[in-house]
Amino acid sequence: MVNIFCINTQQSFTFQEGTTLMDMIPSFYPEGTGAYPIIAAKVNNVCQGLKYRACNSRQVEFLDYTSYAGRSVYCSSLCFLLCKAAKDVFPECRIVLRRPISKGYFCALEKGDGTSLCQVDVDAVKARMREIVEADMPFRRHEVRTGEAIELFQRLGYPDKVSLLETAGDVYVNYYTLDGTEPTASSTLYSTPITVNSSMVVRAKLFCKGWLSPRSTVHSYLSLGRKQTLPVVSIVIDPAYLYDSKIGIYVDGTYSKDVKNYEYDWRRPINLELFETDGTTCSINQLCETRIHGGASRGSVKKSMAFYANKRFGEKRFKYEFFPDQRPGQTNYKSFLMRNAGNDFDYLFMRDAVIQSVMAKHVDMDWQAYRPAIVFINGEYHGMLNFRDRSNDDYVFTNYDELEDIDMIENSWELKNGTWDHFNAFKAFYQEHGHTWDEYSKWLDLYEFINIYAMNLFYNNQDFPGNNLVWWRPRTADGKWRIIAKDTDFGLGLYGSPASYNTMEWIYNPNYDADKSWANGYDHTRLFRRLMDNSDFQREFIDRCAIYMADFMNERGTREVWDP
């Protein structure tokens, strides 16, 4: 006798050894199973058919269509039903079923007589499926020797199944790909060493009968053809996630007639490796996800990409020192950016990095650290992108001891975190005239504000302050607003703007330059103008600008960063 405990009903019954699950159901469900019939069961957490015979005491969970495992069994049954019906209608046919990325299944049916499949053929298969269901034809499992099964599948033209069966005697087998795709049992079987003659990526996965496969393992073998002087990043990704017309994030695509694929913030899984020096193993080898980043610069040939760690991929942080000379010891990143230099993509490729770095070396401000890197995608050279800090709440988390309880507003109109309450009160406050330094200081980190504005005005960034302005504050009683510097690419004379351009006149007068007036409207500049009406702030602003321009905010200081 065997004792069976049913998880569904929390009951135990004793049965004769060899009793099937089907025969046990009436004992646990004497009044029936309800709206959905039982279609399978988990026996000690392993899914089994209802003809499974219990020869030992077991724990059983019966499954119907409302459970995920039950729906999987139901779908598998439909697949068997489709194959049976297709063979009945077209005896020489070959049918292939694949799981797609979205819902449903992909089915390819070749009739075997040289003619193309038409709607009449589909209707005939559907009719045969209904006949089989109405006849209540049972599924029967037949066991044959492996050799017989191999001969059968060879005859039917299923080489992937032949390959799988030929290796089934091993404890485990290893399949791999060289194109970035996830290995399956239909991929190349690893049986001999892989020859590496040029840059390539290898993605391998173990398969073992009766067991779930672990995550695939990825290793990149890259050849620069010259001495490595910059970090090298290897991105390994299914090419469809980048270039497919429907799901690819790097192409115009056809997902929508109005929006290009790369304009969506779709995230895609990747494997990321980072190599610091030539001839060494990688410093990072991590499964994560990426998306296209930025605004207008998404249309550039090389696009900015944001990278996210996530615990569902195994690691919830990037534990790496991305900026050893700028943020020494900082190794706690939820995400980071590889940027294409934004508006500066076709020009200097580092304007924003230079401008922010000059200031950040000498004054207190929140800014995006910078480090250029070489990028490979699926073993092919992709060019250069720049490692950058994020300018969102992940920046605050990394640089302020994992602080997460914050308010964050971008461009004064987009709430990123927290609530509007404090910011709206602040805006109402500075609409008024006549406030003192001390009154402003209760709301705003005035010294950091001066540093941010001095930097943008000196370097002639006309894409500010009505754009690229990220406000944040700790959600505490005395939390003050600060600004995260970002995207100063319009500075340093981009598009021919001269060094003599009068940025002080520009920020006071929105009509000063009709061609560059999107970011200097009266609403955008009101806070700065109100502050400059205060004699204490005006004196502090002028004094600091004079000191900065003498010490580092000048040609010499810029060249020290530009070409050290």
Side-chain angles (χ1 to χ4, degrees):
M1 305 293 287
V2 295
N3 182 265
I4 303 297
F5 175 74
C6 177
I7 294 176
N8 312 77
T9 64
Q10 296 293 297
Q11 295 174 301
S12 293
F13 286 100
T14 301
F15 299 95
Q16 291 286 340
E17 290 184 21
T19 303
T20 66
L21 296 175
M22 178 71 76
D23 292 333
M24 297 179 190
I25 293 174
S27 298
F28 292 109
Y29 295 93
E31 297 181 2
T33 59
Y36 295 95
I38 291 172
I39 55 180
K42 287 185 178 180
V43 180
N44 285 5
N45 212 35
V46 177
C47 198
Q48 302 285 0
L50 295 180
K51 293 185 179 180
Y52 172 87
R53 296 182 180 275
C55 297
N56 294 287
S57 296
R58 292 285 186 265
Q59 176 177 277
V60 172
E61 178 185 3
F62 289 105
L63 305 172
D64 61 23
Y65 186 76
T66 61
S67 67
Y68 177 81
R71 287 193 295 274
S72 295
V73 172
Y74 182 81
C75 291
S76 296
S77 299
L78 285 178
C79 291
F80 279 115
L81 179 62
L82 172 60
C83 292
K84 166 64 176 169
K87 279 292 184 182
D88 287 350
V89 176
F90 305 110
E92 302 301 321
C93 76
R94 183 177 186 274
I95 186 168
V96 176
L97 290 164
R98 302 284 189 206
R99 290 182 181 272
I101 295 171
S102 60
K103 296 179 181 179
Y105 286 77
F106 170 78
C107 174
L109 176 61
E110 297 176 2
K111 293 162 57 177
D113 61 2
T115 62
S116 300
L117 198 69
C118 64
Q119 187 60 48
V120 173
D121 299 327
V122 174
D123 292 340
V125 174
K126 289 171 64 176
R128 178 54 183 155
M129 291 175 71
R130 291 193 179 95
E131 291 174 0
I132 295 172
V133 171
E134 292 170 1
D136 199 19
M137 189 179 298
F139 290 97
R140 287 195 173 90
R141 179 178 178 178
H142 297 276
E143 293 189 3
V144 297
R145 291 183 300 105
T146 301
E148 295 177 32
I150 290 174
E151 291 177 3
L152 172 64
F153 286 121
Q154 283 177 333
R155 188 168 65 252
L156 294 176
Y158 292 96
D160 53 340
K161 295 185 181 295
V162 171
S163 178
L164 181 62
L165 287 169
E166 286 177 340
T167 59
D170 297 338
V171 176
Y172 61 84
V173 291
N174 201 337
Y175 290 91
Y176 69 91
T177 63
L178 303 178
D179 61 356
T181 56
E182 188 69 17
T184 69
S186 300
S187 302
T188 304
L189 175 67
Y190 179 78
S191 56
T192 59
I194 301 170
T195 301
V196 179
N197 294 320
S198 59
S199 294
M200 66 187 303
V201 295
V202 179
R203 195 167 204 162
K205 180 184 283 189
L206 292 174
F207 290 82
C208 182
K209 185 178 181 180
W211 297 87
L212 291 175
S213 294
R215 291 188 175 98
S216 59
T217 298
V218 178
H219 287 288
S220 300
Y221 305 89
L222 307 176
S223 174
L224 287 177
R226 60 185 182 275
K227 182 179 179 181
Q228 180 182 343
T229 58
L230 295 173
V232 173
V233 172
S234 176
I235 297 168
V236 179
I237 180 174
D238 188 324
Y241 287 146
L242 291 179
Y243 307 119
D244 182 81
S245 62
K246 290 294 185 183
I247 65 171
I249 63 174
Y250 219 85
V251 295
D252 290 0
T254 59
Y255 179 80
S256 169
K257 65 179 181 179
D258 301 316
V259 181
K260 293 179 171 59
N261 284 19
Y262 59 71
E263 294 177 323
Y264 289 99
D265 287 341
W266 296 335
R267 296 189 188 186
R268 297 292 183 250
I270 67 161
N271 196 88
L272 178 78
E273 292 171 274
L274 189 151
F275 300 85
E276 282 286 357
T277 56
D278 196 10
T280 61
T281 58
C282 56
S283 301
I284 293 180
N285 189 331
Q286 186 168 333
L287 185 64
C288 55
E289 55 188 356
T290 190
R291 70 168 177 88
I292 303 302
H293 179 275
S297 66
R298 293 181 184 226
S300 299
V301 176
K302 306 298 181 186
K303 307 182 191 306
S304 299
M305 304 175 77
F307 297 83
Y308 301 84
N310 197 300
K311 63 182 180 181
R312 74 176 183 273
F313 294 133
E315 296 289 341
K316 64 179 182 180
R317 302 282 187 273
F318 295 106
K319 294 292 186 180
Y320 189 70
E321 192 178 29
F322 288 101
F323 310 104
D325 59 332
Q326 299 158 59
R327 304 204 189 281
Q330 182 56 263
T331 60
N332 189 22
Y333 293 85
K334 285 185 176 182
S335 65
F336 67 89
L337 185 63
M338 296 204 75
R339 192 167 183 262
N340 67 354
N343 296 103
D344 194 30
F345 174 77
D346 292 318
Y347 303 94
L348 187 60
F349 206 71
M350 60 178 182
R351 273 181 168 83
D352 178 51
V354 170
I355 292 170
Q356 292 197 42
S357 298
V358 169
M359 293 297 291
K361 285 177 63 177
H362 301 279
V363 303
D364 168 45
M365 59 180 254
D366 291 325
W367 68 293
Q368 296 173 285
Y370 157 83
R371 193 181 185 198
I374 297 167
V375 179
F376 282 75
I377 296 181
N378 290 337
E380 295 185 2
Y381 178 74
H382 183 69
M384 287 180 58
L385 293 172
N386 299 321
F387 280 120
R388 303 300 302 269
D389 275 315
R390 300 301 305 281
S391 58
N392 60 3
D393 49 349
D394 286 354
Y395 171 92
V396 178
F397 178 89
T398 294
N399 294 287
Y400 286 86
D401 297 324
E402 300 190 359
L403 176 62
E404 293 184 296
D405 190 15
I406 63 172
D407 292 323
M408 179 171 281
I409 314 287
E410 184 161 3
N411 296 333
S412 300
W413 55 264
E414 185 177 1
L415 180 67
K416 293 290 189 177
N417 212 323
T419 70
W420 283 104
D421 298 345
H422 194 278
F423 192 75
N424 286 340
F426 175 44
K427 287 178 67 176
F429 167 80
Y430 71 72
Q431 301 294 317
E432 304 166 353
H433 293 271
H435 291 299
T436 66
W437 172 281
D438 289 339
E439 288 173 335
Y440 275 111
S441 185
K442 293 177 181 179
W443 294 91
L444 177 67
D445 187 327
L446 288 170
Y447 295 112
E448 201 241 7
F449 182 87
I450 289 174
N451 295 337
I452 293 287
Y453 269 71
M455 174 188 70
N456 281 281
L457 292 171
F458 176 80
Y459 283 107
N460 190 14
N461 175 25
Q462 295 135 8
D463 200 14
F464 161 94
N467 193 27
N468 298 319
L469 200 66
V470 179
W471 295 91
W472 78 274
R473 64 176 286 274
R475 288 176 58 83
T476 59
D478 58 350
K480 298 181 181 182
W481 289 102
R482 287 174 64 90
I483 297 172
I484 302 175
K486 65 171 289 189
D487 297 9
T488 62
D489 313 291
F490 263 77
L492 276 174
L494 185 70
Y495 304 136
S497 186
S500 59
Y501 193 93
N502 191 338
T503 53
M504 289 302 296
E505 178 66 22
W506 173 83
I507 202 167
Y508 269 92
N509 182 5
N511 299 316
Y512 175 73
D513 185 348
D515 293 332
K516 298 169 183 175
S517 59
W518 64 88
N520 68 333
Y522 284 127
D523 287 343
H524 305 144
T525 63
R526 180 173 286 109
L527 175 58
F528 177 75
R529 291 184 286 106
R530 291 286 187 272
L531 284 165
M532 289 294 282
D533 289 342
N534 177 275
S535 59
D536 292 330
F537 180 89
Q538 184 183 102
R539 182 174 56 254
E540 187 70 26
F541 181 80
I542 293 173
D543 286 351
R544 283 179 177 259
C545 285
I547 294 170
Y548 293 168
M549 286 189 289
D551 287 353
F552 59 85
M553 202 166 65
N554 49 41
E555 180 186 354
R556 183 187 68 257
T558 304
R559 287 187 181 277
E560 287 177 358
V561 171
W562 188 326
D563 189 17

